[in-house]
PDB file of all heavy atoms in Angstrom:
ATOM      1  N   LYS A1416      -0.916  -1.717 -13.211  1.00  0.00           N
ATOM      2  CA  LYS A1416      -0.667  -1.347 -14.604  1.00  0.00           C
ATOM      3  C   LYS A1416      -1.884  -1.690 -15.464  1.00  0.00           C
ATOM      4  O   LYS A1416      -2.977  -1.895 -14.971  1.00  0.00           O
ATOM      5  CB  LYS A1416       0.576  -2.055 -15.095  1.00  0.00           C
ATOM      6  CG  LYS A1416       1.786  -1.796 -14.212  1.00  0.00           C
ATOM      7  CD  LYS A1416       2.872  -1.111 -14.955  1.00  0.00           C
ATOM      8  CE  LYS A1416       3.903  -0.735 -13.923  1.00  0.00           C
ATOM      9  NZ  LYS A1416       5.180  -0.671 -14.188  1.00  0.00           N
ATOM     10  N   ARG A1417      -1.626  -1.742 -16.766  1.00  0.00           N
ATOM     11  CA  ARG A1417      -2.706  -1.898 -17.732  1.00  0.00           C
ATOM     12  C   ARG A1417      -3.506  -3.178 -17.505  1.00  0.00           C
ATOM     13  O   ARG A1417      -4.726  -3.197 -17.707  1.00  0.00           O
ATOM     14  CB  ARG A1417      -2.117  -1.900 -19.146  1.00  0.00           C
ATOM     15  CG  ARG A1417      -3.175  -1.802 -20.222  1.00  0.00           C
ATOM     16  CD  ARG A1417      -2.575  -1.909 -21.610  1.00  0.00           C
ATOM     17  NE  ARG A1417      -1.436  -1.021 -21.773  1.00  0.00           N
ATOM     18  CZ  ARG A1417      -0.803  -0.846 -22.920  1.00  0.00           C
ATOM     19  NH1 ARG A1417      -1.211  -1.515 -23.988  1.00  0.00           N
ATOM     20  NH2 ARG A1417       0.230  -0.037 -23.009  1.00  0.00           N
ATOM     21  N   ARG A1418      -2.842  -4.256 -17.110  1.00  0.00           N
ATOM     22  CA  ARG A1418      -3.558  -5.525 -16.905  1.00  0.00           C
ATOM     23  C   ARG A1418      -4.639  -5.366 -15.837  1.00  0.00           C
ATOM     24  O   ARG A1418      -5.762  -5.841 -16.023  1.00  0.00           O
ATOM     25  CB  ARG A1418      -2.561  -6.613 -16.499  1.00  0.00           C
ATOM     26  CG  ARG A1418      -3.183  -7.964 -16.281  1.00  0.00           C
ATOM     27  CD  ARG A1418      -2.126  -8.999 -15.905  1.00  0.00           C
ATOM     28  NE  ARG A1418      -2.716 -10.293 -15.649  1.00  0.00           N
ATOM     29  CZ  ARG A1418      -2.039 -11.368 -15.256  1.00  0.00           C
ATOM     30  NH1 ARG A1418      -0.722 -11.277 -15.095  1.00  0.00           N
ATOM     31  NH2 ARG A1418      -2.642 -12.508 -15.021  1.00  0.00           N
ATOM     32  N   PHE A1419      -4.291  -4.740 -14.726  1.00  0.00           N
ATOM     33  CA  PHE A1419      -5.277  -4.501 -13.657  1.00  0.00           C
ATOM     34  C   PHE A1419      -6.395  -3.603 -14.169  1.00  0.00           C
ATOM     35  O   PHE A1419      -7.576  -3.866 -13.931  1.00  0.00           O
ATOM     36  CB  PHE A1419      -4.579  -3.864 -12.459  1.00  0.00           C
ATOM     37  CG  PHE A1419      -5.492  -3.532 -11.311  1.00  0.00           C
ATOM     38  CD1 PHE A1419      -5.721  -4.448 -10.300  1.00  0.00           C
ATOM     39  CD2 PHE A1419      -6.123  -2.296 -11.231  1.00  0.00           C
ATOM     40  CE1 PHE A1419      -6.563  -4.148  -9.234  1.00  0.00           C
ATOM     41  CE2 PHE A1419      -6.968  -1.986 -10.173  1.00  0.00           C
ATOM     42  CZ  PHE A1419      -7.181  -2.912  -9.171  1.00  0.00           C
ATOM     43  N   LEU A1420      -6.029  -2.537 -14.886  1.00  0.00           N
ATOM     44  CA  LEU A1420      -7.028  -1.584 -15.353  1.00  0.00           C
ATOM     45  C   LEU A1420      -7.958  -2.224 -16.388  1.00  0.00           C
ATOM     46  O   LEU A1420      -9.165  -1.929 -16.411  1.00  0.00           O
ATOM     47  CB  LEU A1420      -6.328  -0.360 -15.947  1.00  0.00           C
ATOM     48  CG  LEU A1420      -7.189   0.894 -16.110  1.00  0.00           C
ATOM     49  CD1 LEU A1420      -7.806   1.312 -14.791  1.00  0.00           C
ATOM     50  CD2 LEU A1420      -6.365   2.036 -16.687  1.00  0.00           C
ATOM     51  N   ASN A1421      -7.437  -3.093 -17.226  1.00  0.00           N
ATOM     52  CA  ASN A1421      -8.288  -3.818 -18.180  1.00  0.00           C
ATOM     53  C   ASN A1421      -9.351  -4.629 -17.461  1.00  0.00           C
ATOM     54  O   ASN A1421     -10.514  -4.674 -17.880  1.00  0.00           O
ATOM     55  CB  ASN A1421      -7.433  -4.747 -19.052  1.00  0.00           C
ATOM     56  CG  ASN A1421      -6.881  -4.056 -20.281  1.00  0.00           C
ATOM     57  OD1 ASN A1421      -7.541  -3.197 -20.864  1.00  0.00           O
ATOM     58  ND2 ASN A1421      -5.677  -4.409 -20.681  1.00  0.00           N
ATOM     59  N   LYS A1422      -8.948  -5.283 -16.377  1.00  0.00           N
ATOM     60  CA  LYS A1422      -9.896  -6.068 -15.588  1.00  0.00           C
ATOM     61  C   LYS A1422     -10.995  -5.181 -15.016  1.00  0.00           C
ATOM     62  O   LYS A1422     -12.184  -5.530 -15.038  1.00  0.00           O
ATOM     63  CB  LYS A1422      -9.156  -6.786 -14.449  1.00  0.00           C
ATOM     64  CG  LYS A1422     -10.030  -7.707 -13.608  1.00  0.00           C
ATOM     65  CD  LYS A1422      -9.305  -8.182 -12.361  1.00  0.00           C
ATOM     66  CE  LYS A1422      -8.083  -9.001 -12.682  1.00  0.00           C
ATOM     67  NZ  LYS A1422      -7.458  -9.567 -11.448  1.00  0.00           N
ATOM     68  N   VAL A1423     -10.607  -4.009 -14.509  1.00  0.00           N
ATOM     69  CA  VAL A1423     -11.582  -3.073 -13.949  1.00  0.00           C
ATOM     70  C   VAL A1423     -12.535  -2.587 -15.031  1.00  0.00           C
ATOM     71  O   VAL A1423     -13.770  -2.559 -14.833  1.00  0.00           O
ATOM     72  CB  VAL A1423     -10.862  -1.874 -13.295  1.00  0.00           C
ATOM     73  CG1 VAL A1423     -11.861  -0.770 -12.933  1.00  0.00           C
ATOM     74  CG2 VAL A1423     -10.103  -2.322 -12.051  1.00  0.00           C
ATOM     75  N   VAL A1424     -12.000  -2.209 -16.179  1.00  0.00           N
ATOM     76  CA  VAL A1424     -12.836  -1.694 -17.276  1.00  0.00           C
ATOM     77  C   VAL A1424     -13.832  -2.756 -17.739  1.00  0.00           C
ATOM     78  O   VAL A1424     -15.013  -2.463 -17.973  1.00  0.00           O
ATOM     79  CB  VAL A1424     -11.944  -1.225 -18.441  1.00  0.00           C
ATOM     80  CG1 VAL A1424     -12.788  -0.941 -19.692  1.00  0.00           C
ATOM     81  CG2 VAL A1424     -11.172   0.022 -18.042  1.00  0.00           C
ATOM     82  N   GLN A1425     -13.394  -3.996 -17.850  1.00  0.00           N
ATOM     83  CA  GLN A1425     -14.291  -5.073 -18.267  1.00  0.00           C
ATOM     84  C   GLN A1425     -15.432  -5.264 -17.273  1.00  0.00           C
ATOM     85  O   GLN A1425     -16.596  -5.455 -17.666  1.00  0.00           O
ATOM     86  CB  GLN A1425     -13.503  -6.366 -18.434  1.00  0.00           C
ATOM     87  CG  GLN A1425     -12.545  -6.358 -19.623  1.00  0.00           C
ATOM     88  CD  GLN A1425     -11.572  -7.521 -19.608  1.00  0.00           C
ATOM     89  OE1 GLN A1425     -11.697  -8.454 -18.799  1.00  0.00           O
ATOM     90  NE2 GLN A1425     -10.575  -7.479 -20.491  1.00  0.00           N
ATOM     91  N   ARG A1426     -15.122  -5.200 -15.985  1.00  0.00           N
ATOM     92  CA  ARG A1426     -16.160  -5.364 -14.972  1.00  0.00           C
ATOM     93  C   ARG A1426     -17.143  -4.207 -14.999  1.00  0.00           C
ATOM     94  O   ARG A1426     -18.350  -4.386 -14.821  1.00  0.00           O
ATOM     95  CB  ARG A1426     -15.525  -5.506 -13.591  1.00  0.00           C
ATOM     96  CG  ARG A1426     -14.767  -6.804 -13.417  1.00  0.00           C
ATOM     97  CD  ARG A1426     -14.180  -6.981 -12.022  1.00  0.00           C
ATOM     98  NE  ARG A1426     -13.430  -8.223 -11.939  1.00  0.00           N
ATOM     99  CZ  ARG A1426     -12.801  -8.643 -10.844  1.00  0.00           C
ATOM    100  NH1 ARG A1426     -12.834  -7.917  -9.736  1.00  0.00           N
ATOM    101  NH2 ARG A1426     -12.139  -9.784 -10.851  1.00  0.00           N
ATOM    102  N   VAL A1427     -16.636  -2.992 -15.217  1.00  0.00           N
ATOM    103  CA  VAL A1427     -17.518  -1.823 -15.303  1.00  0.00           C
ATOM    104  C   VAL A1427     -18.434  -1.945 -16.513  1.00  0.00           C
ATOM    105  O   VAL A1427     -19.651  -1.704 -16.415  1.00  0.00           O
ATOM    106  CB  VAL A1427     -16.688  -0.527 -15.384  1.00  0.00           C
ATOM    107  CG1 VAL A1427     -17.579   0.662 -15.732  1.00  0.00           C
ATOM    108  CG2 VAL A1427     -15.971  -0.266 -14.063  1.00  0.00           C
ATOM    109  N   ASN A1428     -17.889  -2.314 -17.652  1.00  0.00           N
ATOM    110  CA  ASN A1428     -18.691  -2.374 -18.877  1.00  0.00           C
ATOM    111  C   ASN A1428     -19.797  -3.414 -18.788  1.00  0.00           C
ATOM    112  O   ASN A1428     -20.865  -3.245 -19.399  1.00  0.00           O
ATOM    113  CB  ASN A1428     -17.782  -2.654 -20.078  1.00  0.00           C
ATOM    114  CG  ASN A1428     -16.884  -1.471 -20.406  1.00  0.00           C
ATOM    115  OD1 ASN A1428     -17.107  -0.357 -19.922  1.00  0.00           O
ATOM    116  ND2 ASN A1428     -15.873  -1.701 -21.220  1.00  0.00           N
ATOM    117  N   ARG A1429     -19.559  -4.487 -18.049  1.00  0.00           N
ATOM    118  CA  ARG A1429     -20.606  -5.504 -17.887  1.00  0.00           C
ATOM    119  C   ARG A1429     -21.810  -4.971 -17.111  1.00  0.00           C
ATOM    120  O   ARG A1429     -22.912  -5.520 -17.196  1.00  0.00           O
ATOM    121  CB  ARG A1429     -20.035  -6.742 -17.191  1.00  0.00           C
ATOM    122  CG  ARG A1429     -19.160  -7.600 -18.103  1.00  0.00           C
ATOM    123  CD  ARG A1429     -18.984  -9.000 -17.530  1.00  0.00           C
ATOM    124  NE  ARG A1429     -18.214  -8.993 -16.299  1.00  0.00           N
ATOM    125  CZ  ARG A1429     -16.896  -9.165 -16.239  1.00  0.00           C
ATOM    126  NH1 ARG A1429     -16.198  -9.328 -17.365  1.00  0.00           N
ATOM    127  NH2 ARG A1429     -16.263  -9.181 -15.089  1.00  0.00           N
ATOM    128  N   LEU A1430     -21.610  -3.897 -16.338  1.00  0.00           N
ATOM    129  CA  LEU A1430     -22.695  -3.342 -15.526  1.00  0.00           C
ATOM    130  C   LEU A1430     -23.650  -2.479 -16.344  1.00  0.00           C
ATOM    131  O   LEU A1430     -24.745  -2.149 -15.868  1.00  0.00           O
ATOM    132  CB  LEU A1430     -22.104  -2.514 -14.377  1.00  0.00           C
ATOM    133  CG  LEU A1430     -21.278  -3.302 -13.362  1.00  0.00           C
ATOM    134  CD1 LEU A1430     -20.612  -2.357 -12.363  1.00  0.00           C
ATOM    135  CD2 LEU A1430     -22.142  -4.323 -12.627  1.00  0.00           C
ATOM    136  N   GLN A1431     -23.257  -2.080 -17.564  1.00  0.00           N
ATOM    137  CA  GLN A1431     -24.112  -1.291 -18.457  1.00  0.00           C
ATOM    138  C   GLN A1431     -24.736  -0.097 -17.729  1.00  0.00           C
ATOM    139  O   GLN A1431     -25.949   0.064 -17.667  1.00  0.00           O
ATOM    140  CB  GLN A1431     -25.201  -2.173 -19.078  1.00  0.00           C
ATOM    141  CG  GLN A1431     -24.626  -3.318 -19.920  1.00  0.00           C
ATOM    142  CD  GLN A1431     -25.695  -4.166 -20.565  1.00  0.00           C
ATOM    143  OE1 GLN A1431     -26.736  -4.458 -19.963  1.00  0.00           O
ATOM    144  NE2 GLN A1431     -25.455  -4.578 -21.790  1.00  0.00           N
ATOM    145  N   THR A1432     -23.884   0.741 -17.198  1.00  0.00           N
ATOM    146  CA  THR A1432     -24.323   1.849 -16.369  1.00  0.00           C
ATOM    147  C   THR A1432     -24.620   3.097 -17.201  1.00  0.00           C
ATOM    148  O   THR A1432     -24.286   3.175 -18.389  1.00  0.00           O
ATOM    149  CB  THR A1432     -23.234   2.159 -15.323  1.00  0.00           C
ATOM    150  OG1 THR A1432     -23.691   3.122 -14.411  1.00  0.00           O
ATOM    151  CG2 THR A1432     -21.975   2.688 -16.009  1.00  0.00           C
TER     152      THR A1432
END
Side-chain angles (χ1 to χ4, degrees):
K1416 305 242 172 149
R1417 191 184 311 186
R1418 181 179 178 183
F1419 178 91
L1420 197 56
N1421 273 325
K1422 184 190 297 185
V1423 170
V1424 169
Q1425 291 168 9
R1426 291 182 182 180
V1427 170
N1428 290 346
R1429 285 198 293 267
L1430 296 174
Q1431 299 182 321
T1432 187

